[in-house]
Amino acid sequence: MSGTTVSQALRDRFESIRRREIDRLHKKLRGLSDADRQLLDAITARVVAALASLPEKELADEAKAPALEALVRVFALDAESPAAR
């Protein structure tokens, strides 16, 4: 995997976790208005973007294979299939 591919897979993993957690908390979030839900979505999306931004910058600069392999293993990025989610 290239640095760009790993970077995108990492962002996708974070986004998948974000959406899964919002879905999991659906009952607790029922009382939120549409505006509150949109705000929650925007805030959590910004958190994902912030978490992913530093690795993305580093991976864009010709990351070494061992570092890429470590990220793939730690975040199970090779398992990013619908069945693994």
Side-chain angles (χ1 to χ4, degrees):
M1 287 186 149
S2 71
T4 303
T5 303
V6 170
S7 176
Q8 184 60 52
L10 189 59
R11 182 177 285 271
D12 291 346
R13 170 67 79 191
F14 292 165
E15 179 62 21
S16 173
I17 292 167
R18 180 184 83 86
R19 292 201 179 276
R20 194 170 47 241
E21 286 303 304
I22 288 174
D23 289 346
R24 186 180 68 80
L25 296 169
H26 177 73
K27 286 183 181 180
K28 290 183 179 183
L29 302 175
R30 261 193 306 218
L32 296 180
S33 68
D34 285 340
D36 289 339
R37 286 178 191 273
Q38 289 175 354
L39 183 60
L40 174 68
D41 193 58
I43 290 169
T44 57
R46 289 189 76 154
V47 169
V48 165
L51 289 171
S53 67
L54 184 59
E56 285 177 345
K57 290 176 189 172
E58 293 298 319
L59 293 174
D61 297 331
E62 300 290 326
K64 303 280 189 237
L68 293 174
E69 291 169 14
L71 284 171
V72 168
R73 275 194 318 273
V74 167
F75 290 100
L77 301 179
D78 54 348
E80 267 301 295
S81 66
R85 293 181 186 176

